[in-house]
Amino acid sequence: MKEYGVFDIIGPIMIGPSSSHTAGAARIGQVAISIVKDGFTRVDFHLHGSFAQTYKGHGTDKALLAGVLGFKPNDKRLRDSFKIADEEGLEYHFIKDDLGPVHPNTAKIVFYYPDGTTSSVTGSSIGGGNIEIIEINDVSISYNGKFPTIILRYREQKGVIYEVSKLLATNDYNIESMKTVKADDEVTLIVELNEKLEKSIIEEIINNERYDYANYIEGVR
C-alpha cells in the first residue's frame, strides 16, 4: 500500500486558486530552470489540454512564468510575474498546442539563448501540486523534481550504470531510485539520491566525456 504524506493529502501551501493549475505549474517552471542553463532571454510556454483551455482564468500563465523566475508556489510575487519578467527584460509567450497523448495539465517550456540555441523541458501537473517532468530536449524521461538527481544521456554502451553506482557507493551515497529510458541507441539514465552530492563528485560525473548530456539537479521542494 502506498504511504501518503501530509503534502499529498492536504496539498501544497500556495498562491491559489488551483493546486494543479497554479502550484503544479509553478513547480514545473521551477524544476525546468534547474535543468537548463542560465542566460535565456526568451521563454515560450506551449500549453496542452486543460492548461490551454483555462490558463488565464486559473493563473497558470502567471504561475509558469513565476516558476521560471525562480518563485515557489507560495511566493506572493507569483501574482506579479508578468510585471517582474517585463522589468527583468525576459520575453515570454503562451501558445496553445497539442502535445500528443500526455496528461491534460502539461506544458512544454522552450528556452531561447542569445547565441541562437534552445533548450526545452516538458512537464505535467498531476494533482496536489505534484509534477512529472516527461521530456528534456524532446527525450522522454520520468522525473518528479523532489530528490537530488543525476541525469545522463549517452550512446548505448556497457559499464555506465556500474561506473556511476560504484562512484556513489565508494563515496557512501545511497541511491533512492535508478531508471533508464531507451530511444534507438541512446540511453537516458536517471539516478535519484536521498542526499545532495558534494561538488567534487558532481564535477567528476558532469565532466565525463562518455556522456552526450550530463546534469545534476538538487531538487525542488
Side-chain angles (χ1 to χ4, degrees), residues 24-212:
R27 278 181 52 79
I28 291 171
Q30 264 192 293
V31 174
I33 61 169
S34 73
I35 293 172
V36 303
K37 63 182 180 180
D38 295 330
F40 51 88
T41 55
R42 169 184 160 189
V43 186
D44 286 355
F45 299 92
H46 294 259
L47 307 177
H48 173 82
S50 59
F51 267 12
Q53 295 168 10
T54 64
Y55 71 95
K56 291 183 179 180
H58 284 173
T60 304
D61 48 0
K62 292 181 179 179
L64 284 165
L65 185 58
V68 166
L69 292 170
F71 304 156
K72 294 182 178 180
N74 63 344
D75 195 314
K76 293 181 179 179
R77 292 174 294 176
L78 186 150
R79 297 189 181 98
D80 300 316
S81 60
F82 288 178
K83 178 183 177 182
I84 295 169
D86 291 341
E87 291 173 348
E88 294 186 2
L90 177 62
E91 182 181 350
Y92 53 91
H93 304 273
F94 298 93
I95 303 161
K96 294 183 179 182
D97 207 344
D98 183 352
L99 300 177
V102 296
H103 192 284
N105 298 334
T106 296
K108 179 177 182 178
I109 309 176
V110 184
F111 299 86
Y112 295 81
Y113 296 87
D115 63 1
T117 59
T118 63
S119 291
S120 67
V121 177
T122 304
S124 302
S125 178
I126 58 177
N130 297 297
I131 69 163
E132 181 184 14
I133 300 301
I134 60 172
E135 285 185 350
I136 298 176
N137 293 330
D138 298 320
V139 175
S140 296
I141 69 162
S142 177
Y143 169 59
N144 65 20
K146 292 182 178 180
F147 297 98
T149 301
I150 302 163
I151 301 178
L152 306 173
R153 191 162 62 245
Y154 51 91
R155 295 293 175 184
E156 189 165 13
Q157 56 189 280
K158 295 180 179 179
V160 172
I161 293 175
Y162 170 77
E163 182 179 282
V164 174
S165 301
K166 182 180 179 181
L167 175 64
L168 295 173
T170 300
N171 289 277
D172 203 28
Y173 286 99
N174 291 321
I175 295 174
E176 184 76 23
S177 72
M178 178 180 286
K179 50 198 168 189
T180 58
V181 179
K182 294 184 180 181
D184 298 325
D185 64 341
E186 192 169 65
V187 178
T188 300
L189 174 64
I190 305 164
V191 184
E192 294 180 319
L193 308 167
N194 59 11
E195 61 182 307
K196 296 178 181 179
L197 287 178
E198 293 182 4
K199 186 177 180 180
S200 60
I201 306 300
I202 297 170
E203 291 177 349
E204 185 170 350
I205 294 171
I206 298 300
N207 295 328
N208 191 322
E209 294 183 354
R210 74 189 300 177
Y211 309 130
D212 298 325

